Amino acid sequence: MPDSPLLTAAAVAVIVLAIAVVVGVGFKLLRSFRELGTDAERATYNTLHAASRAGQHLRTGLNPAGAAKASRQLRTLLGCNALAITDTAGVLAWDGAAEELKPRLMDLAADVLVGGRTTVIQARDLAPDLGSGGLAAVIAPVRAGSRVVGVVAAFAPSAGAGLVRATSEVADWVAVQVELAELDASRTLLMEAEVRALRAQISPHFIYNSLNAIASFIITDPARARELVVEFADFTRYSFRRHGDFTTLAEELRCIDRYLLLEKARFGERVQVSLRIAPEVLGTVIPFLSLQPLVENAVRHGLEAKEGPGHISITANDSGAFAEVTIEDDGVGMDPAQLQSMLAGHTDGDHVGLRNVDARLRQVYGDDHGLVIETAPGEGTLITMRVPKSQPGHDA
């Protein structure tokens, strides 16, 4: 039975539609391919992407776990058959072929680790028993400052000038990652040193005054003396704890409460305190001992020199993505220019705690998150601190 004109027209329509879909998809694929750029641009992207991924694995310095992951990316970058990374003690990572050479690598790299110069070993010298099927090696030093801290070794059928230059550049790039990791470690050590400095500041001044205050109650009010001894023990236990660079706002406020109880035992009604704390910010992670020094500054340098009673107001508010903490006193105030010079480290002064806290906040969160201090002689002091409520990587 011959096809009807209607069926023929329908078939043609389906064929035309199919062709249109194929052409449209092909056009989109071609356009997407063109949007990736030229071959040179794609090669540049692939190079930067591999370097970026390798850098993520070397953030903690030269160690087996990071080096193993980075070596895969770096071998792709160099296009070699195998790539190894060592420190001065042994092979940290080997990726690719020729693992039979791995036990010999530290001997092969000995001169590079000592002299700091790139070495090329041709296949006939590296593994003469393998003949023309062997691999050549380029071994380049990884320098951190003036020290050689390891090597990058690339293995390929031949070691031409291009591979030598590329391996040396990769080794220099690894060195930069190592130096950045050491800088991060130095910053961590600096923060720990600054916390120790704060503890040293607390130790002689506050402990002496607190013990004197407790002693004054032993005869007249033994129950109060016992209470103050417990508060003093809790305060010092928190202040001199050995674990963690961070704490929560709630824990720091508890520390401040104990501190103020002890100061009130000394000053009596001269120290008046009010708190206004938003419950939703109590779990915010903050640098350890970042609030207590601010309150101590208000007592020592704001109210102690003032005649009559003084008032300290502590507030903690929810400010969107941030927790905003303010500590205000109506004490004697400070000269703003002198304070600014002291915070910048240009002059010494009595406000070591302020400078210490300001420096740590800037180190952890960036320069936009230092202390904001409003003060003038005779006008009291208002200190504001803003920290992110969400801080991945910072555990209390």
Side-chain angles (χ1 to χ4, degrees):
M1 177 179 176
D3 293 336
S4 69
L6 183 59
L7 288 175
T8 303
V12 171
V14 168
I15 294 171
V16 170
L17 179 60
I19 293 173
V21 169
V22 170
V23 171
V25 170
F27 177 76
K28 287 183 178 179
L29 290 173
L30 180 61
R31 185 176 62 182
S32 298
F33 181 77
R34 287 174 176 172
E35 285 175 353
L36 289 175
T38 63
D39 290 342
E41 289 171 339
R42 286 192 291 276
T44 300
Y45 168 79
N46 290 333
T47 299
L48 293 175
H49 182 64
S52 174
R53 292 188 63 185
Q56 294 173 6
H57 302 308
L58 294 172
R59 285 178 180 170
T60 55
L62 283 180
N63 57 69
K69 294 177 180 177
S71 62
R72 299 183 194 120
Q73 305 297 329
L74 297 179
R75 184 167 74 88
T76 301
L77 200 61
L78 289 176
C80 55
N81 295 62
L83 183 133
I85 301 174
T86 82
D87 58 11
T88 56
V91 179
L92 299 175
W94 185 289
D95 187 75
E99 284 205 44
E100 66 275 6
L101 297 173
K102 183 177 178 179
R104 297 178 51 200
L105 181 55
M106 293 309 293
D107 290 335
L108 296 171
D111 291 341
V112 180
L113 289 169
V114 173
R117 295 175 63 87
T118 298
T119 294
V120 178
I121 306 174
Q122 297 298 341
R124 61 180 178 274
D125 300 317
L126 183 61
D129 53 317
L130 297 180
S132 59
L135 298 176
V138 178
I139 306 174
V142 176
R143 298 183 185 85
S146 59
R147 299 171 294 122
V148 177
V149 297
V151 305
V152 171
F155 298 85
S158 63
L163 181 62
V164 173
R165 285 196 300 269
T167 305
S168 297
E169 289 296 330
V170 166
D172 289 344
W173 178 87
V174 171
V176 171
Q177 309 310 307
V178 172
E179 289 179 332
L180 288 174
E182 290 182 350
L183 179 59
D184 284 341
S186 297
R187 286 175 175 169
T188 300
L189 291 174
L190 177 61
M191 178 179 287
E192 292 174 355
E194 287 171 340
V195 171
R196 287 195 296 270
L198 272 180
R199 288 168 172 160
Q201 177 193 354
I202 291 170
S203 175
H205 179 87
F206 177 72
I207 291 177
Y208 175 80
N209 288 332
S210 296
L211 292 177
N212 271 346
I214 292 169
S216 70
F217 286 102
I218 290 176
I219 302 299
T220 60
D221 192 345
R224 180 81 186 280
R226 283 194 296 271
E227 177 190 345
L228 291 174
V229 167
V230 172
E231 297 294 347
F232 177 76
D234 287 341
F235 173 81
T236 53
R237 187 181 298 112
Y238 174 81
S239 300
F240 293 96
R241 72 176 191 177
R242 295 184 177 274
H243 65 281
D245 294 324
F246 295 87
T247 187
T248 62
L249 181 59
E251 289 180 340
E252 193 85 352
L253 288 171
R254 278 194 289 270
C255 169
I256 289 170
D257 183 57
R258 296 182 183 112
Y259 168 78
L260 289 171
L261 279 173
L262 292 162
E263 290 290 44
K264 284 181 179 180
R266 186 159 66 101
F267 288 107
E269 294 304 316
R270 284 189 57 199
V271 176
Q272 301 172 1
V273 181
S274 64
L275 289 88
R276 191 174 70 254
I277 311 297
E280 56 267 32
V281 300
L282 287 173
T284 301
V285 174
I286 62 175
F288 178 64
L289 283 183
S290 56
L291 287 186
Q292 188 278 336
L294 308 185
V295 176
E296 183 172 352
N297 180 82
V299 173
R300 289 183 59 190
H301 304 296
L303 305 186
E304 192 169 347
K306 177 183 178 180
E307 292 185 8
H311 184 263
I312 298 174
S313 174
I314 303 171
T315 67
N317 297 315
D318 187 344
S319 180
F322 298 92
E324 183 174 282
V325 183
T326 64
I327 296 170
E328 184 174 12
D329 68 74
D330 58 359
V332 297
M334 298 174 271
D335 176 63
Q338 183 179 358
L339 173 66
Q340 202 61 38
S341 178
M342 183 275 299
L343 288 175
H346 299 153
T347 59
D348 294 327
D350 296 327
H351 306 280
V352 177
L354 290 186
R355 182 171 63 197
N356 185 300
V357 173
D358 180 69
R360 285 193 292 143
L361 290 173
R362 293 178 187 276
Q363 176 183 319
V364 174
Y365 304 118
D367 283 336
D368 292 338
H369 292 280
L371 295 176
V372 176
I373 304 176
E374 301 173 40
T375 187
E379 299 297 328
T381 303
L382 172 63
I383 303 174
T384 302
M385 182 176 84
R386 281 168 57 89
V387 298
K389 289 191 296 185
S390 176
Q391 300 173 38
H394 293 160
D395 298 321

